[in-house]
Amino acid sequence: MSPAQETLLRRVEKVDGGLDSQDVATSLGVDHQAIVGAVKSLLALGDVISAEQRSSKHWELTGEGCEIAEQGSHEARVVSSIPEEGMPQSQLMKLAFGKVGFSKAMSNKWIRLDKGHEGGPRIFKTVEHLEDLVRDKLLLVQKGQASQLEEKEKNELKKRKLLSEVTVKSYWITKGSCFSTTITKQETELTPEMIASGSWKEKKFKPYNFEALGVAPDCGHLHPLMKVRTQFRQIFLEMGFTEMPTNNFIESSFWNFDSLFQPQQHPARDQHDTFFLSDPAQAHEFPQDYLERVRKVHSEGGFGSQGYKYDWKIEEAQKNILRTHTTAVSARMLYKLAQQEKFTPVKYFSIDRVFRNETLDATHLAEFHQIEGVVADYGLTLGDLMGILHQFFNKLGEGSTSQGWGQFHSFNSLPGNVIQFKFEVGL
Amino acid sequence: MPTVSVKRDLLFHALGRTYTDEEFDELCFEFGLELDEITSEKDIISREQGDTKAEGASDVILYKIDVPANRYDLLCLEGLVRGLQVFKQKMEAPRYRRVSPASSEPQRLVITKETTAVRPHAVAAVLRNITFTQERYDSFIELQEKLHQNVCRKRTLVAIGTHDLDTISGPFTYTAKPPGDIRFKPLNQAKEYTAQELMSLYKTDSHLRHYLHIIEDEAVYPVIYDSNGIVLSMPPIINGDHSKISLNTKNVFIECTATDLTKAKIVLDMMVTMFCEYCEEPFTVEEAEVVYPDGRTCQYPELAYRKETLSADFINRKVGISESTEHIAQLLTKMCLRSEVMSDGEQIEVEIPPTRSDVIHACDIMEDAAMAYGFNNIPRTTPRTYTIANQLPLNKLSELLRQDLAAAGFTEALTFALCSQEDIADKLLKNISETRACRISNPKTAEFQVARTTLLSGLLKTVAANRKMPLPLRLFEISDVVLKDESKDVGARNNRRLCAVYYNKSPGFEVIHGLMDRVMQLLEIKPGQGNGYHIQAADGFQFSPWCFQLPCQTGPTSLPSGAAV
């Protein structure tokens, strides 16, 4: 326990009510801050003392105010410096207090100015004896009797920057519920030595501070988007969907567009929307018979479709791009499925990166992730599609069922009575 | 989705009743449209240019309706009204007819062989005895603009020209001439210009300058003349002033020039079907004859009605409902696909009108049936397909490793797969030719020049962006890089990588080393030469003394192909 703390405790003990910390500081002749320090450390020990924060304002003289209190106000000094025969104005103005004092003295009518005097304007005293009220008031404040002045007077002096209001914070110290002049130090931690020696039985322990936060564990983190992806992946697996191999960012236009019945002049195939590759620029291997069938459906129709009736160019289909959707992979998978000797129903999914040649802004990136699901079986209906989506969202826990189905658009249709829908959810 | 702007009151007048905004929103939704915005011209200008500019602008309420991109028949008020009225069964879909001219020969458009080089196809038609009001006129012009933006692919595929037939006389010639030889007064100009002068004139025109490139560099420009040498238009840029349409025009000659004949026919059909309503004999279009360079002739517009037969069972099975044949025929008729039950009671004959060029397969018909039935009315079922799910082994491994790396105290980063050339070469003190990187031909910025061949650049950039964070930084990423590979059909493949970075005041090689040991432990690969893993210093990684390669022979645990550390 420091001497300040000890002295303070003894003082508090002696007094009936309480003590003001400022008074203590003054009577001990120490800096107020030292007392504040002692108060704070005593407070930390528990309820030894209680301290109430108080602030009081009082008036103090500014530097200029002190100067006036000593030497008199500017205007008074002006008057006292003018001799019987008067003084030229220019000479008066040269004095330190001249300018301010001149105008004040004029308004108090303590001097007069003779503008027409020979040798230049000249100032004369009009009074012999004056009361330097300003100085008197300041002296009162200096003596600590500021309360004798009216508010108006004090504010006026404050305006002239002769007085300033100073806030003083102090503590009102009273005995606490566990007051004692001796302080027992509180332990913060139980140590193995205390347990071994049994000394813990006599120790007092500092209560825990539950207001503060604990120590943050130094752990690693998974990326939030990847966490969402894991969640979606889990939902698909629970619904029996098998993951497609989507680890190929570069795709040919054939699989990405043509096999999905997107015509070669479609705007999505523009330079503005798709990333084309300059190296490797073209894909060089395609299942030829399938390519022929795709060409035919685009240009002439087939499998019940009218087709688009334009000249389908293989050069366009060979162009390599960064895939704009993982549906390209679905197309490959369905083709593989069709090559099987015996058809087996499948449910496929993928969640992977796709690329669009967009200008970046706050809500658009050139790379993002796409979720894709495919079900292939006999006798599937539109109702089944809606049912699966409904179940998917249920598992997600969004509860965005019933209304808000937004719009279906038949995105494209694959040859052979396989229908693909793309669906926008109005969230 | 294209947006059509219609005046609300005009729309309600044409529909024969008013709706509240909510009611109309519902109606749009049922029909497959979306009421995007309710605004006025004043609002629009106010938002874009400030309130002062909006003073005096029209207060008339506008509905902005989103229509599907392939529904060219809903791009104008006339089409929308027709579609909605038929949908609400307030009227029957009109029958569009091509008719011969009453007393004379049909208008003739002769195509010369010079056009083959630049814009080979053209079709034409006539709207006879039409009456325009200001609204109809505006709608007419607006539809051309919408079609130009939409199916015409900004005039590159098709360009539409409309002319006052009474100011010109056929037969018309569609030819192509060197730009210096073409001279005429274009729309809304005071004097004549040559084609070259027009190219420079329109370079500063905010609307037309986007189309100049279509013919600018060609040796010959397309141009249409009448029999007196008057220029009707120079497609796809601008029409002549002489034949411009006004409110008083009674007879309209429409021509569409194109690089795609199918689209030209569709566009012509669209223009005439929408506006022949206002002809003296409503829903009739007068034919025009097109003469090809080889002498063949063809009558336009085609206005073809196509028939498809399908069974009610087909629709029921595909949608997942069970409706009677009659009801299905009714549903389809509501969507402007007039349908009749055939004599066997099972089959439905569906007639696809020229306005529904978007219907090209039976599944499109099925979709319309579903829409008319109401998507929300379709019972949701779960397919009875029973499948066992399988994870892709590569992804399964990645997911497991991710968890353990985070448990080891590292934070996952997600970085771009595209980067600049410097990122994978110069900044790593490598030569770009060594990297086997795939190059993008049309990046919008230098940040997307190549596909990444290493995850390291992305992680280092992440560190650079997070220097203010408390140290140390421990980052990892498990993701794909892209490498050229001639053995693949596209010439490139992905390669799954794991990358970790430790950033602190002291380098901490032992931290990364320890992490790597942990990963190997998880993969059950023991340290050691021969059948395990070991570290050796690598050449080429010169920027820090402790970069290493990891030759690794796997024993009983086989890593899935494509994984490398």
Side-chain angles (χ1 to χ4, degrees):
Chain A
M1 184 161 64
S2 74
Q5 289 174 335
E6 203 172 326
T7 324
L8 191 57
L9 281 176
R10 287 195 202 293
R11 287 285 182 96
V12 172
E13 189 188 21
K14 288 203 196 105
V15 126
D16 260 341
L19 287 176
D20 182 79
S21 54
Q22 286 282 359
D23 296 338
V24 175
T26 332
S27 71
L28 285 180
V30 296
D31 186 30
H32 182 237
Q33 284 305 107
I35 300 297
V36 171
V39 167
K40 290 224 158 112
S41 49
L42 283 173
L43 282 174
L45 296 175
D47 291 327
V48 181
I49 55 167
S50 51
E52 202 186 295
Q53 245 194 4
R54 285 183 181 180
S55 63
S56 57
K57 287 191 194 176
H58 68 254
W59 294 88
E60 260 182 24
L61 264 57
T62 59
E64 198 184 335
C66 288
E67 195 189 309
I68 291 181
E70 250 175 83
Q71 298 172 19
S73 64
H74 300 297
E75 52 272 27
R77 288 164 78 188
V78 160
V79 173
S80 55
S81 65
I82 296 176
E84 284 300 326
E85 62 274 16
M87 184 195 278
Q89 187 182 23
S90 47
Q91 191 185 347
L92 179 65
M93 287 307 172
K94 286 195 198 127
L95 297 170
F97 48 81
K99 283 210 180 78
V100 179
F102 174 71
S103 41
K104 277 271 167 194
M106 284 294 282
S107 64
N108 288 350
K109 296 195 168 55
W110 289 346
I111 54 175
R112 67 178 170 85
L113 176 66
D114 187 349
K115 287 195 189 145
H117 197 92
E118 49 173 291
R122 206 167 177 86
I123 304 170
F124 294 93
K125 278 200 279 202
T126 54
V127 294
E128 271 303 320
H129 178 71
L130 52 81
E131 260 189 70
D132 193 353
L133 289 170
V134 171
R135 187 183 179 198
D136 292 340
K137 288 179 203 166
L138 289 176
L139 284 170
L140 273 178
V141 173
Q142 206 172 37
K143 281 192 227 142
Q145 289 164 5
S147 44
Q148 288 195 25
L149 295 171
E150 280 178 33
E151 274 308 306
K152 207 174 91 170
E153 297 171 303
K154 283 190 255 191
N155 282 325
E156 217 180 280
L157 291 168
K158 186 174 167 190
K159 251 200 245 172
R160 280 185 72 175
K161 298 205 174 70
L162 303 174
L163 276 190
S164 59
E165 229 181 322
V166 167
T167 317
V168 169
K169 290 209 179 90
S170 67
Y171 287 93
W172 179 252
I173 308 162
T174 49
K175 296 190 184 82
S177 54
C178 306
F179 181 74
S180 108
T181 49
T182 54
I183 310 169
T184 46
K185 179 163 169 282
Q186 284 183 325
E187 299 294 335
T188 49
E189 276 171 5
L190 186 62
T191 64
E193 290 78 21
M194 285 184 211
I195 299 176
S197 67
S199 62
W200 60 270
K201 295 185 197 142
E202 281 88 44
K203 302 262 184 201
K204 263 183 128 169
F205 290 93
K206 190 170 172 192
Y208 281 116
N209 178 10
F210 296 127
E211 304 305 316
L213 292 176
V215 171
D218 190 16
C219 52
H221 307 274
L222 291 171
H223 192 281
L225 187 69
M226 296 287 103
K227 285 207 265 194
V228 172
R229 180 186 146 147
T230 305
Q231 218 187 334
F232 281 127
R233 202 168 164 269
Q234 186 62 24
I235 293 175
F236 273 122
L237 293 170
E238 285 174 17
M239 288 172 74
F241 283 74
T242 288
E243 206 167 12
M244 291 190 269
T246 51
N247 47 334
N248 55 315
F249 291 158
I250 296 182
E251 189 57 273
S252 64
S253 294
F254 178 74
W255 286 110
N256 198 86
F257 294 121
D258 294 284
S259 72
L260 296 170
F261 203 42
Q262 205 153 8
Q264 290 184 332
Q265 335 115 327
H266 196 276
R269 295 173 85 149
D270 253 359
Q271 293 278 327
H272 308 297
D273 290 319
T274 306
F275 284 111
F276 286 89
L277 275 290
S278 58
D279 181 25
Q282 291 186 329
H284 51 74
E285 211 187 285
F286 302 99
Q288 276 304 125
D289 57 336
Y290 184 55
L291 183 123
E292 273 311 306
R293 276 184 278 153
V294 169
R295 188 196 58 76
K296 189 158 171 296
V297 179
H298 274 245
S299 50
E300 297 163 27
F303 300 97
S305 174
Q306 297 295 305
Y308 294 120
K309 303 214 170 26
Y310 70 99
D311 284 328
W312 190 85
K313 297 197 174 55
I314 187 158
E315 293 80 22
E316 202 48 51
Q318 282 172 324
K319 287 186 185 167
N320 274 342
I321 59 171
L322 284 172
R323 67 176 177 217
T324 60
H325 44 202
T326 48
T327 322
V329 181
S330 303
R332 283 182 187 261
M333 297 301 288
L334 288 172
Y335 175 73
K336 247 176 75 174
L337 182 67
Q339 304 311 303
Q340 274 179 211
E341 267 204 38
K342 192 164 174 300
F343 173 77
T344 48
V346 292
K347 300 219 272 278
Y348 291 142
F349 84 94
S350 71
I351 307 171
D352 208 339
R353 217 179 277 232
V354 296
F355 305 85
R356 301 267 168 103
N357 197 358
E358 305 229 7
T359 322
L360 271 58
D361 65 33
T363 52
H364 294 89
L365 286 178
E367 307 179 26
F368 52 98
H369 284 76
Q370 186 199 332
I371 300 174
E372 174 108 358
V374 176
V375 181
D377 197 5
Y378 290 107
L380 291 173
T381 70
L382 194 51
D384 287 330
L385 173 65
M386 292 165 74
I388 288 197
L389 287 169
H390 181 89
Q391 294 289 359
F392 186 89
F393 282 110
N394 263 350
K395 285 173 84 70
L396 199 55
E398 293 294 297
S400 66
T401 55
S402 64
Q403 256 300 62
W405 271 98
Q407 288 180 17
F408 265 100
H409 15 259
S410 171
F411 173 49
N412 46 48
S413 74
L414 304 172
N417 233 5
V418 178
I419 298 147
Q420 180 188 35
F421 278 84
K422 215 168 211 170
F423 178 72
E424 277 172 50
V425 177
L427 281 168
Chain B
M1 298 257 283
T3 308
V4 186
S5 201
V6 289
K7 293 187 179 146
R8 180 196 61 185
D9 297 329
L10 267 185
L11 181 65
F12 288 166
H13 179 75
L15 288 172
R17 60 159 279 195
T18 55
Y19 291 84
T20 63
D21 290 341
E22 289 76 30
E23 285 170 340
F24 194 72
D25 189 42
E26 271 272 337
L27 176 62
C28 284
F29 186 76
E30 279 173 39
F31 192 49
L33 309 175
E34 197 184 326
L35 181 58
D36 190 40
E37 208 188 337
I38 304 168
T39 180
S40 68
E41 206 181 280
K42 201 172 195 176
D43 277 342
I44 298 174
I45 299 180
S46 194
R47 249 180 324 173
E48 290 175 9
Q49 299 175 32
D51 287 333
T52 38
K53 286 255 160 72
E55 290 289 325
S58 165
D59 254 349
V60 169
I61 301 285
L62 297 172
Y63 273 168
K64 281 188 183 274
I65 304 173
D66 274 350
V67 305
N70 59 354
R71 291 298 298 270
Y72 315 129
D73 62 319
L74 299 176
L75 287 177
C76 60
L77 176 119
E78 286 76 9
L80 273 172
V81 168
R82 237 172 269 170
L84 287 170
Q85 293 294 66
V86 174
F87 184 63
K88 299 300 278 175
Q89 298 178 297
K90 292 251 172 64
M91 73 182 228
E92 271 192 29
R95 292 207 75 74
Y96 307 102
R97 286 182 305 128
R98 182 179 78 201
V99 295
S100 299
S103 46
S104 53
E105 289 285 304
Q107 296 296 332
R108 199 170 279 131
L109 178 66
V110 180
I111 308 180
T112 70
K113 61 178 177 6
E114 285 82 7
T115 60
T116 343
V118 62
R119 203 170 179 85
H121 307 287
V123 295
V126 172
L127 288 173
R128 186 63 69 183
N129 291 322
I130 193 170
T131 310
F132 280 115
T133 62
Q134 187 61 55
E135 271 94 26
R136 294 176 189 178
Y137 177 82
D138 290 340
S139 192
F140 192 64
I141 303 294
E142 184 63 21
L143 179 61
Q144 287 178 58
E145 225 358 82
K146 282 263 167 338
L147 288 170
H148 276 155
Q149 290 305 314
N150 190 359
V151 59
C152 304
R153 297 296 316 282
K154 298 205 177 79
R155 302 194 193 180
T156 51
L157 293 185
V158 185
I160 309 166
T162 53
H163 311 275
D164 188 332
L165 187 54
D166 298 326
T167 63
I168 46 180
S169 57
F172 306 101
T173 312
Y174 173 47
T175 183
K177 282 194 170 170
D181 295 349
I182 302 173
R183 192 184 172 80
F184 67 104
K185 186 161 81 144
L187 192 63
N188 294 330
Q189 293 293 334
K191 67 180 182 89
E192 287 193 347
Y193 292 87
T194 64
Q196 286 150 326
E197 288 165 345
L198 285 177
M199 286 292 142
S200 0
L201 179 71
Y202 290 135
K203 269 215 170 24
T204 48
D205 184 299
S206 59
H207 182 53
L208 293 174
R209 66 193 167 114
H210 303 288
Y211 308 121
L212 299 178
H213 71 95
I214 304 173
I215 53 168
E216 201 169 15
D217 296 324
E218 301 290 338
V220 288
Y221 290 177
V223 59
I224 306 181
Y225 292 101
D226 82 340
S227 58
N228 297 322
I230 296 177
V231 171
L232 268 70
S233 70
M234 187 178 74
I237 309 296
I238 190 84
N239 287 352
D241 192 67
H242 183 100
S243 55
K244 71 176 176 224
I245 307 232
S246 70
L247 286 185
N248 299 322
T249 304
K250 295 307 289 171
N251 300 298
V252 180
F253 179 68
I254 305 180
E255 38 83 2
C256 298
T257 55
T259 50
D260 181 326
L261 183 60
T262 312
K263 292 277 184 303
K265 291 195 263 189
I266 292 173
V267 168
L268 183 69
D269 279 356
M270 245 8 110
M271 283 301 302
V272 298
T273 51
M274 292 296 115
F275 287 96
C276 59
E277 183 181 349
Y278 303 130
C279 289
E280 195 170 55
E281 229 189 294
F283 302 115
T284 62
V285 185
E286 188 181 291
E287 71 181 356
E289 194 175 78
V290 172
V291 183
Y292 290 97
D294 59 0
R296 271 184 310 129
T297 61
C298 211
Q299 271 72 29
Y300 290 108
E302 282 196 348
L303 291 182
Y305 280 82
R306 193 165 65 81
K307 285 199 162 53
E308 272 213 36
T309 315
L310 36 77
S311 65
D313 185 50
F314 169 79
I315 303 276
N316 280 329
R317 268 187 302 113
K318 287 270 174 263
V319 178
I321 51 177
S322 59
E323 291 294 308
S324 67
T325 321
E326 287 75 25
H327 193 214
I328 292 184
Q330 214 182 23
L331 290 175
L332 290 172
T333 308
K334 271 171 70 166
M335 303 299 287
C336 290
L337 299 172
R338 215 167 73 112
S339 304
E340 271 177 21
V341 181
M342 290 173 75
S343 46
D344 67 350
E346 258 302 304
Q347 303 277 64
I348 305 176
E349 191 181 68
V350 183
E351 191 185 60
I352 298 150
T355 47
R356 293 301 305 272
S357 54
D358 59 296
V359 175
I360 51 182
H361 191 279
C363 64
D364 296 317
I365 300 175
M366 183 274 282
E367 186 193 351
D368 265 22
M371 190 174 294
Y373 186 79
F375 286 120
N376 283 332
N377 299 330
I378 302 174
R380 289 168 209 162
T381 49
T382 323
R384 276 184 289 232
T385 317
Y386 183 75
T387 50
I388 306 277
N390 282 318
Q391 299 186 49
L392 192 68
L394 182 60
N395 287 353
K396 184 174 176 183
L397 177 65
S398 305
E399 288 285 303
L400 291 170
L401 278 177
R402 279 177 63 225
Q403 299 286 339
D404 278 305
L405 278 162
F410 278 69
T411 298
E412 190 177 22
L414 179 64
T415 61
F416 286 132
L418 300 178
C419 58
S420 71
Q421 200 173 286
E422 286 76 35
D423 285 335
I424 52 165
D426 308 14
K427 291 186 190 172
L428 297 176
L429 300 179
K430 280 179 113 165
N431 205 310
I432 186 69
S433 51
E434 293 169 15
T435 56
R436 286 198 293 163
C438 296
R439 217 173 263 284
I440 314 289
S441 68
N442 58 334
K444 276 211 169 89
T445 67
E447 282 303 300
F448 297 142
Q449 289 168 328
V450 294
R452 68 183 172 199
T453 53
T454 169
L455 294 177
L456 193 55
S457 327
L459 284 185
L460 289 174
K461 278 197 214 175
T462 310
V463 168
N466 285 290
R467 276 173 292 186
K468 294 219 175 79
M469 299 297 283
L471 295 178
L473 288 179
R474 286 184 283 255
L475 303 175
F476 80 92
E477 187 170 6
I478 302 181
S479 189
D480 286 349
V481 303
V482 183
L483 298 168
K484 270 170 61 169
D485 183 343
E486 275 91 36
S487 68
K488 306 290 270 181
D489 65 340
V490 293
R493 66 181 160 89
N494 281 15
N495 191 237
R496 186 68 49 93
R497 298 276 174 93
L498 181 158
C499 184
V501 164
Y502 177 79
Y503 176 74
N504 201 3
K505 291 206 171 72
S506 59
F509 169 64
E510 66 281 3
V511 175
I512 295 292
H513 189 178
L515 183 70
M516 193 205 69
D517 289 335
R518 172 70 183 142
V519 171
M520 288 296 145
Q521 187 186 45
L522 290 165
L523 296 172
E524 293 181 23
I525 304 173
K526 291 203 170 18
Q529 302 274 354
N531 219 19
Y533 72 94
H534 65 274
I535 305 176
Q536 65 193 45
D539 303 322
F541 271 67
Q542 288 131 2
F543 62 94
S544 52
W546 46 264
C547 265
F548 55 86
Q549 261 178 0
L550 205 57
C552 172
Q553 285 149 299
T554 59
T557 329
S558 59
L559 287 172
S561 62
V565 173

